[in-house]
Amino acid sequence: DFYESNFLNGTWSVAKPLAGKVNTNLNEGAQNISQDGQLLIFTGCNYHEGQGSCDLYFSVRTNNNGWSEPQTLGPVVNSDFWESSPSLSPDKRDLYFASSQAGGLGGRDIWVTHRLPTGKWSRPENLGEAVNTSGDESCPFMHADNQTLYFNSNGHTGYGMTDLFFSKKVNDSSWTMAENLGYPINTIDDEGSLIVAADARTAYYASDKSDSKG
């Protein structure tokens, strides 16, 4: 389930479930909230109306009733395979995500779908060989500049099992060749998702490097 905690006077409040109907008795995870705080896109697994094992869903923040009941992004975006790790562009026009759906270059690739004038989402497009490899790419994060995409990969040349990389958008169909973020961020162990603050001065990321707690 999803929880929230508020940072007040230098401390975090006790976590509580998100208000509304977004949480179910199934699994919700890998969430991404739009910069205006009004749209939540997340991964829901084993929902009865799902296309595959894990699919992408959205919930809208309401004025009085918290987050709305989840709605699927539908069969155009979701497939019989695995969809997860959504990242919404700052203008809410593009949604990046990881999927093992057919037509990719490897096991899991990064794809993008575009919001149409109707409010629906377009058929996903693979980001291509500059980003994706014959291995696995996942955990995309589009920065507030709407140009720099961070992600992890075990297919590009790296230091360990899975490293963190970035690529810059040239245009709607072209990306610069992925660049490794380098040591000491990447190690011989696994690095996972990375989120960069809007001012591009601070980043938070996941790793199982040897000096961790567990």
Side-chain angles (χ1 to χ4, degrees):
D1 284 355
F2 294 130
Y3 289 75
E4 68 173 281
S5 176
N6 295 302
F7 192 65
L8 300 170
N9 301 320
T11 59
W12 289 96
S13 64
V14 175
K16 60 182 180 181
L18 285 188
K21 299 180 179 180
V22 64
N23 288 320
T24 71
N25 62 348
L26 298 172
N27 289 330
E28 289 82 39
Q31 80 283 7
N32 182 235
I33 298 178
S34 60
Q35 287 195 8
D36 63 9
Q38 300 303 305
L39 179 64
L40 170 66
I41 298 184
F42 66 95
T43 305
C45 294
N46 302 314
Y47 282 29
H48 71 274
E49 73 275 22
Q51 304 295 126
S53 58
C54 292
D55 288 342
L56 298 178
Y57 292 80
F58 73 92
S59 175
V60 177
R61 191 170 197 163
T62 66
N63 291 331
N64 301 315
N65 299 313
W67 293 93
S68 68
E69 191 172 339
Q71 297 184 52
T72 177
L73 264 66
V76 173
V77 175
N78 293 316
S79 71
D80 295 340
F81 297 91
W82 174 93
E83 280 78 37
S84 188
S85 305
S87 179
L88 193 63
S89 64
D91 58 10
K92 297 197 291 188
R93 296 178 61 185
D94 305 309
L95 177 65
Y96 302 88
F97 64 96
S99 176
S100 57
Q101 63 183 256
L105 301 180
R108 292 178 176 176
D109 281 7
I110 296 174
W111 303 71
V112 62
T113 175
H114 309 289
R115 188 194 291 270
L116 302 172
T118 60
K120 301 291 185 181
W121 293 92
S122 70
R123 187 166 300 281
E125 303 166 7
N126 191 286
L127 293 196
E129 295 180 353
V131 172
N132 294 314
T133 69
S134 59
D136 290 321
E137 282 70 43
S138 191
C139 301
F141 173 75
M142 173 53 73
H143 185 251
D145 66 2
N146 205 18
Q147 181 183 18
T148 310
L149 183 75
Y150 297 89
F151 62 95
N152 69 11
S153 172
N154 62 14
H156 290 285
T157 301
Y159 293 78
M161 293 178 285
T162 300
D163 279 10
L164 291 164
F165 296 81
F166 75 92
S167 175
K168 288 187 176 289
K169 182 167 63 174
V170 178
N171 52 51
D172 286 343
S173 60
S174 180
W175 296 81
T176 63
M177 186 59 65
E179 294 186 44
N180 192 296
L181 289 185
Y183 181 84
I185 293 176
N186 289 317
T187 67
I188 60 174
D189 297 306
D190 269 322
E191 276 64 50
S193 58
L194 178 139
I195 294 174
V196 182
D199 64 6
R201 297 176 62 87
T202 305
Y204 303 86
Y205 68 102
S207 174
D208 66 355
K209 58 181 62 177
S210 58
D211 62 348
S212 63
K213 299 292 184 183

